[in-house]
Amino acid sequence: MDIFNFSSGPAMLPKPVLEQARDEIMSLGGIGMSVMEISHRSKEFEKVLHGAESGLRRLLNVPDNYRILFLQGGGAMQFSMVPMNLLAPGMTGDYVLTGAWGEKAVKEAAKFGNAKTIYTSVADGFRSVPEQEELSFSSEAAYVHYTSNETIDGVEFKYDLEAGGIPVVCDASSNILSKPIDIEKYALIYAGAQKNIGPSGVTVVIIREDLLKRIPDGLPALMDYRSFAENDSMPNTPNTWGIYLIGLVCRWLDDQGGVAGIEKRNIEKAAVLYNALDSSDGFFIGHAKREARSLMNVTFRLRDERLEDLFIDEAESLGLSGLRGHRSVGGLRASIYNAFPKAGVERLVELMSDFAARNG
Ligand code: PMP
């Protein structure tokens, strides 16, 4: 039985990517050594690194005045690096909070400077995202930070936030590469790789070059974006294996018609699941408000929450794995990133309708 893995991350990788990685694991391109065994300064790895970088640049249409960096430390390390690098004394970091990850980001930023929550949807249980017009920014804002897709709560922005010239910083960990975005609206985008880009252990940072000039001197070298920009992402030994896999994922995405092609499939996939929620007569209840529904993380509950464990057990027995919601919020969550096949969503929807008929 095929297992469909709804895990929120690390998440499913495309099967053809895993197959190619398996085939090449002992010998990268016939060199007789694994990509994990060769020097990160070797010609072979240089090709791998530039392949991954140019793949991301092509797919996301990243202009020349932006640098693409590969870091470590996960999405969460960016909660610290962003304010360390960009939050100058006397300025504020404006934070738009639409879920649990944004909350963590602002908390971390407050350790380095004046971090200000300019919007939060906590009062509605993180079910919504603001309209652009609802936001107003501090006059002394060094940047505005938001989370384009809140992985735990399952809410997603449907537009690229604009801040009237204030640099926009975006945590796109759980929806990068899922749809086209206008990079030029952003000053910095970051994303842990383990949902839509590759394995855990690599974080992609896309940063507009002029931001590099604002960074204060004296930061620890590995917390300073300039160290990565000036050293081809290699001020020290990078996650070579992870970067290699990112290159493969990019080529797989090319074969899917790029981000526009995958977006179409993501919309179709999510619609199957949201339609099942909406047509269940309230047996299943979606968490996010309709207009904020994430295409990547579908969060829901059963009307009778006592049945949730039973549902999860039955799902497991049908090869539907990883449906338990985040431990902080409970309920259920189906993470259906780029690599997640539609057939898995269809199997889940069948179970939902059958389970509701038996337990309704
Ligand atoms: N931001 C978002 C939106 C996330 O979903 C996550 C992890 N699920 C993080 C940040 C933290 O990422 P990491 O575990 O790679 O530090």
Side-chain angles (χ1 to χ4, degrees):
M1 179 172 59
D2 281 343
I3 302 289
F4 291 111
N5 172 13
F6 288 91
S7 166
S8 62
M12 282 186 96
L13 283 160
K15 204 167 174 196
V17 165
L18 291 178
E19 285 167 349
Q20 185 175 348
R22 174 199 62 201
D23 293 347
E24 293 183 339
I25 197 165
M26 302 299 287
S27 173
L28 176 71
I31 63 170
M33 292 173 282
S34 173
V35 66
M36 286 181 279
E37 300 172 317
I38 58 175
S39 166
H40 56 294
R41 310 278 175 208
S42 63
K43 282 249 162 321
E44 289 84 5
F45 186 71
E46 203 176 295
K47 245 169 67 187
V48 169
L49 180 79
H50 291 149
E53 193 206 319
S54 66
L56 291 172
R57 196 173 285 281
R58 184 172 65 242
L59 286 162
L60 290 170
N61 208 6
V62 178
D64 287 345
N65 62 327
Y66 285 74
R67 302 295 304 273
I68 300 178
L69 312 175
F70 298 103
L71 280 70
Q72 302 187 55
M77 202 169 86
Q78 295 310 304
F79 300 165
S80 315
M81 277 183 83
V82 165
M84 285 172 94
N85 283 264
L86 303 178
L87 184 44
M91 308 279 276
T92 66
D94 279 1
Y95 281 75
V96 177
L97 308 190
T98 53
W101 291 108
E103 279 191 318
K104 288 190 203 295
V106 72
K107 214 166 137 195
E108 204 56 30
K111 296 180 185 170
F112 299 99
N114 191 9
K116 190 166 158 196
T117 298
I118 57 154
Y119 175 92
T120 174
S121 55
V122 68
D124 84 353
F126 291 136
R127 285 180 165 78
S128 58
V129 300
E131 303 278 346
Q132 174 74 58
E133 300 73 47
E134 290 176 65
L135 301 174
S136 53
F137 308 101
S138 309
S139 52
E140 68 289 4
Y143 61 84
V144 179
H145 178 284
Y146 79 112
T147 314
S148 52
N149 184 72
E150 278 286 356
T151 322
I152 292 176
D153 310 276
V155 294
E156 181 171 20
F157 279 80
K158 308 294 174 187
Y159 61 94
D160 299 299
L161 191 146
E162 289 186 69
I166 302 166
V168 175
V169 175
C170 179
D171 176 359
S173 291
S174 50
N175 70 348
I176 194 165
L177 292 175
S178 69
K179 59 181 178 184
I181 51 173
D182 183 354
I183 295 285
E184 293 194 85
K185 297 220 170 108
Y186 299 88
L188 189 156
I189 300 179
Y190 63 88
Q194 65 269 24
K195 298 154 199 319
N196 258 346
I197 323 179
S200 63
V202 195
T203 310
V204 171
V205 172
I206 303 172
I207 182 169
R208 207 175 60 215
E209 261 167 1
D210 61 281
L211 272 281
L212 296 168
K213 300 199 178 82
R214 306 184 184 190
I215 297 171
D217 287 330
L219 291 178
L222 294 183
M223 299 298 277
D224 186 328
Y225 291 123
R226 290 174 303 190
S227 307
F228 292 84
E230 287 162 10
N231 293 288
D232 224 3
S233 287
M234 300 193 293
N236 67 336
T237 317
N239 178 347
T240 52
W241 171 248
I243 292 168
Y244 159 76
L245 280 171
I246 290 175
L248 300 192
V249 169
C250 288
R251 285 210 290 276
W252 173 81
L253 263 176
D254 288 336
D255 294 341
Q256 311 308 306
V259 287
I262 205 78
E263 178 189 33
K264 210 164 145 263
R265 290 167 49 177
N266 288 333
I267 291 171
E268 286 168 13
K269 245 163 40 186
V272 172
L273 201 36
Y274 283 118
N275 286 340
L277 297 179
D278 291 342
S279 59
S280 73
D281 285 329
F283 188 91
F284 297 99
I285 302 163
H287 173 78
K289 288 196 177 141
R290 205 168 275 264
E291 58 282 5
R293 284 174 164 178
S294 167
L295 294 186
M296 300 282 101
N297 310 97
V298 179
T299 45
F300 59 103
R301 300 215 68 127
L302 269 64
R303 180 171 50 212
D304 182 352
E305 292 178 10
R306 291 167 306 178
L307 289 173
E308 286 174 352
D309 283 345
L310 179 64
F311 182 84
I312 288 166
D313 285 348
E314 288 196 21
E316 285 285 348
S317 72
L318 292 171
L320 304 168
S321 161
L323 282 165
R324 193 175 288 284
H326 191 268
R327 60 189 184 281
S328 62
V329 294
L332 290 98
R333 170 175 54 174
S335 297
I336 49 172
Y337 302 115
N338 287 349
F340 190 93
K342 193 172 176 195
V345 174
E346 285 162 349
R347 193 187 289 174
L348 173 60
V349 163
E350 254 176 62
L351 170 66
M352 287 165 73
S353 123
D354 179 55
F355 187 90
R358 282 185 282 117
N359 297 283

